[in-house]
Amino acid sequence: MSPTVWTPQRWRELPAAQQPEWPDEDDYERALKQLAALPPLVFAGEARRLTRALGQVAAGEAFLLQAGDCAESFAEFSADAIRDKLKVILQMAVVLTYGAGVPVVKVGRIAGQFAKPRSSPTELVGEVELPAFRGHMVNDDAADAAARVPDPRRLAAAYHQSASTLNLVRAFTKGGFADLSRVHVWNQQFVASSEEGRRYEQMANEIDRALRFMAACGIDLGGEESLHQVDFYTSHDALILGYEEALTRMDSLTGDYYDCSAHMLWVGERTRQLDGAHVDFLSGIHNPVGCKVSASMTTEEVLALCERLNPGRVPGRLTLITRMGAAAVADALPPLLAAVQDAGHPVVWACDPMHGNTFVSEGGRKTRRFDDILAELRGFFAAHLAAGTWPGGVHLELTGDDVTECLGGFGDILEDQLHERYTTTCDPRLNARQAIDLAFRVAEMLRT
Ligand code: TRP
Ligand code: MN
């Protein structure tokens, strides 16, 4: 740790992994200055409210649903796409709330998820080697060298797209769209006609009946705010530290710093070095933060990370997002659960069953098997049951669209169908049917 007092700039003294090579440093710094003058996207009070909600998760009284795109796209940006993504997340939330009977904390990978860590600085596109695509906040995914040059004007573009996404999300979640009386409306056509869609309809009918029952008992449903809206939070990988620094502001109420680019920020497997810039940055902001945890992480590393990111042991401050792979979770997770429990750290444990289960299909497309995703979730729940810890949540990559990116599920997408509707700019996502199917299965795991 650096001996100086924490500031939003202190990370600059430390090695920062995964930062783009901007062609002109001055252009980059000018872009950051402009960002620093723009209004915050979220407010400190909202971030504190999320910490409290996650504190309930840490205490075993609620469940975290964190979901959205692998990478948001400048190209696929429309009101319909945002609405459809929200529909699926609301559907999953209601399946989990009704099916497992626990409150669900809803967090999107949305309104800021524009930067991607890469394992290699270049990638092979067909026959040509190009600089890697690093997310639309940095460069373009088109297959030519010019498109791959980092462009600092993209930072402001990402900010503005985040602002309009967030504006729509707030309108949808607070303005009637998320009202429980609309539980049927979230079921999209292509979902409704499927097995998992029918199961959802049945549950929605039961919710209707329960609401009518309560009304008949004399409860004033109209006056019951919580039935008509949801708290929905935003999150992303805090990868491009200049962007995060520029949106970090001191809260006038408490004098604490908050990164106002999103309610929750996390660091990934490639940027979680204990003495690195990313962990230092997260250590000083007061938002709830997360860290991805792979099967290769040692108990010493996890404990050091807990100390570094949550020395005050604030429940809800730190979420550990395990992404171990279906084959590794049963061996790798239990020692970490025991160590963190023994040390008395009140973390949220969430399962990311996506990133440890990615492989390249014979046709050359990155994909994941629905069954592997389920298997990692089962391993996660089993390990927590054995340890006496709370399986606090799931972290998923999904879309509201009818894509063919992950294999299997009820619709049974096969390898030779992947090309049909494969639109992700990065990792393969669950489609709406697979996501709802998964929610029912997680609800079952939570019940038992
Ligand atoms: N406000 C409650 C909650 O967020 C109930 C609720 C209203 C809800 N609309 C919802 C739950 C949509 C899930 C999905 O839990
Ligand atoms: Mn991803």
Side-chain angles (χ1 to χ4, degrees):
M1 201 199 303
S2 176
T4 56
V5 57
W6 189 90
T7 66
Q9 297 80 32
R10 191 175 75 176
W11 65 271
R12 290 170 179 261
E13 299 159 26
L14 299 166
Q18 296 285 338
Q19 301 307 289
E21 280 182 32
W22 304 99
D24 182 331
E25 274 303 311
D26 291 342
D27 278 353
Y28 174 56
E29 291 300 334
R30 252 192 306 277
L32 296 184
K33 257 210 185 74
Q34 275 166 7
L35 274 179
L38 295 173
L41 293 172
V42 307
F43 301 100
E46 298 173 332
R48 279 194 289 273
R49 192 176 161 92
L50 176 57
T51 301
R52 277 198 299 277
L54 290 171
Q56 278 190 295
V57 178
E61 291 158 8
F63 192 73
L64 166 66
L65 172 63
Q66 189 172 17
D69 271 309
C70 175
E72 287 176 273
S73 161
F74 284 2
E76 269 172 55
F77 174 42
S78 70
D80 287 0
I82 295 166
R83 181 201 58 205
D84 291 345
K85 208 173 304 163
L86 208 60
K87 278 181 176 174
V88 187
I89 297 177
L90 289 174
Q91 283 186 288
M92 294 184 81
V94 88
V95 166
L96 287 163
T97 312
Y98 187 79
V102 291
V104 173
V105 181
K106 304 149 196 81
V107 181
R109 287 175 64 110
I110 200 168
Q113 177 55 22
F114 289 105
K116 302 306 303 168
R118 302 315 300 253
S119 36
S120 156
T122 62
E123 66 189 316
L124 217 50
V125 182
E127 301 283 87
V128 275
E129 190 168 355
L130 292 170
F133 170 56
R134 292 181 177 275
H136 280 165
M137 185 186 281
V138 176
N139 58 6
D140 192 57
D141 54 310
D144 70 82
R148 298 294 172 95
V149 177
D151 180 351
R153 284 172 303 184
R154 289 177 167 272
L155 295 161
Y159 167 90
H160 289 294
Q161 182 164 328
S162 298
S164 31
T165 302
L166 190 55
N167 181 51
L168 208 55
V169 166
R170 289 191 197 276
F172 278 139
T173 54
K174 297 292 177 190
F177 185 77
D179 195 307
L180 270 184
S181 68
R182 307 196 52 154
V183 63
H184 293 277
V185 180
W186 308 327
N187 212 8
Q188 297 185 73
Q189 203 66 77
F190 78 92
V191 181
S193 58
S194 69
E195 185 88 24
E196 47 287 48
R198 277 190 291 277
R199 189 170 178 195
Y200 178 84
E201 271 306 306
Q202 229 168 48
M203 187 209 64
N205 288 334
E206 287 173 31
I207 291 173
D208 283 344
R209 221 174 32 230
L211 289 173
R212 281 201 302 276
F213 171 70
M214 287 192 281
C217 292
I219 296 170
D220 171 22
L221 300 187
E224 197 51 64
E225 267 307 291
S226 68
L227 296 177
H228 310 302
Q229 56 178 43
V230 301
D231 289 335
F232 190 91
Y233 299 97
T234 61
S235 69
H236 62 258
D237 186 343
L239 192 75
I240 308 299
L241 288 172
Y243 179 85
E244 305 304 335
E245 174 195 320
L247 285 164
T248 296
R249 311 292 161 82
M250 188 187 275
D251 172 36
S252 54
L253 272 179
T254 58
D256 291 332
Y257 280 108
Y258 285 83
D259 182 350
C260 298
S261 71
H263 297 109
M264 177 185 183
L265 288 308
W266 76 83
V267 286
E269 178 66 12
R270 299 181 189 84
T271 47
R272 60 167 169 76
Q273 300 82 1
L274 276 167
D275 46 5
H278 290 83
V279 167
D280 187 69
F281 180 78
L282 287 199
S283 76
I285 57 171
H286 281 68
N287 308 57
V289 298
C291 181
K292 294 285 185 91
V293 173
S294 73
S296 68
M297 206 161 170
T298 64
T299 54
E300 292 75 29
E301 273 180 297
V302 172
L303 291 179
L305 200 92
C306 290
E307 259 332 300
R308 186 87 168 78
L309 290 178
N310 192 15
R313 299 179 188 227
V314 178
R317 154 76 178 166
L318 178 60
T319 298
L320 295 178
I321 308 159
T322 58
R323 32 90 78 223
M324 303 186 152
V329 61
D331 290 331
L333 186 53
L336 303 187
L337 298 183
V340 172
Q341 194 174 31
D342 288 348
H345 271 288
V347 304
V348 170
W349 288 105
C351 176
D352 165 0
M354 315 295 292
H355 289 91
N357 296 305
T358 317
F359 67 98
V360 178
S361 74
E362 279 190 21
R365 287 185 191 272
K366 259 208 260 183
T367 189
R368 294 157 173 159
R369 280 186 230 289
F370 188 78
D371 286 345
D372 292 341
I373 292 168
L374 265 187
E376 177 156 1
L377 282 165
R378 283 203 199 91
F380 172 82
F381 275 88
H384 281 282
L385 186 65
T389 46
W390 174 242
V394 288
H395 182 115
L396 305 168
E397 290 183 344
L398 55 75
T399 166
D401 302 334
D402 187 14
V403 299
T404 54
E405 298 173 5
C406 291
L407 300 168
F410 267 121
D412 203 11
I413 295 168
L414 305 172
E415 285 213 31
D416 61 6
Q417 294 173 313
L418 283 179
H419 69 277
E420 289 176 7
R421 290 179 303 283
Y422 193 98
T423 60
T424 183
T425 45
C426 198
D427 289 342
R429 304 157 297 177
L430 297 168
N431 64 31
R433 292 181 53 183
Q434 290 167 329
I436 289 157
D437 187 3
L438 197 78
F440 277 111
R441 294 170 191 257
V442 171
E444 274 160 28
M445 293 179 211
L446 257 176
R447 256 200 316 265
T448 49

